Amino acid sequence: MSLPAVLLAASSPSPTPSESTTPAVPSLQDAQESATNAASWVEQNWSTWLAIGLRVLLILVIAAVLRVVVRRAITKLIDRMNRTVQAVDGTALGGLLVNVERRRQRSQAIGSVLRSVASFIILGTAALMVLGTFEINLAPLLASAGVAGVAIGFGARNLVTDFLSGVFMILEDQYGVGDTVDAGVASGEVIEVGLRVTKLRGDNGEIWYVRNGEVKRIGNLSQGWATAGVDVMVRADEDLDKVKETIDQVAERMSKDEPWNELLWGPIEVLGLDNVLLDSMVVRVSAKTMPGKALTVERELRWRIKRAFDAAEIPIVGGPVVPVDPTPDTDPTAGMSAPSAYANTASPQAQAATPLAPPSVTK
């Protein structure tokens, strides 16, 4: 009985190489061990992950709440500024300030900038705190950000300068839309104020794009009040009392007429003699006007003073008069010198100056 079993075992084929390399199917005991290890790992680390998740959630909630609170505080501050401006509008103090719409636009621009800066700071800080919660080393990240910031600052320093200058121009209310300004590099009416570029409308209709970083000085001709000045030149022997009385009458009538009574913010005054010459003298007339209306008031004031002087028979001189000779020369060649005697080749002078011909040689 043992011999057939031995022969059967000897005659059975040997396993092929492919069958010998086939991975063994995990048994039920191996699966139970893997599940037990996973459960033990989760049981050991679930408190750590739960603490990290709760910390991240707490950071995000605090950041969101803080952002909402700061933005609402900025909005309330801007609304309070607008209510203060509306309260003084129409009063004597409000006349010296810019209009309500201008202040509203400026406050909205300031509020937008402040809200953007606050959101960037709060969310950026929250992102760094979240990364720190996951035990990520922030030192290389902060060092790389610092190096990148320095590189960007050197490469885009003009852009940064323009942006910072625009922010301070808006915060300090140096000018606004509708103002007439002299920026040094260009002048005209402001049609748009940006954080990087300011647009100006020139006197001939052209649009100037002025970078805020290039503006070294600003002359705002639309804030506060303006001064209208007129110089009246009369003869040196004119009666000054009569001249002053005539100008005072013009000033009184102009201060009562529409719409000049609204454009004039002060009485028209005769300041006195501005210059005295041998044949003329200059009387200076000045008035405080609404911003941007000085030129209009000056033109009307000159018109009225000229008409009043003509009615009072007070001549206005404009400088020395060049005398004109009434009897011009009838002969156009009278002022010309006589022609030279050498111009005529037949004259004795020309003959005497002609070189002698060499004598001919005879054989």
Side-chain angles (χ1 to χ4, degrees), residues 6-7 28 60 119 146 152 176 270 278 311 330:
V6 172
L7 293 176
L28 181 60
L60 295 179
S119 299
I152 294 174
V270 180
L278 294 177
T330 57

Side-chain angles (χ1 to χ4, degrees), residues 169-181:
M169 285 179 181
I170 294 177
L171 292 178
E172 297 173 0
D173 193 20
Q174 297 181 7
Y175 54 83
V177 177
D179 289 350
T180 302
V181 299

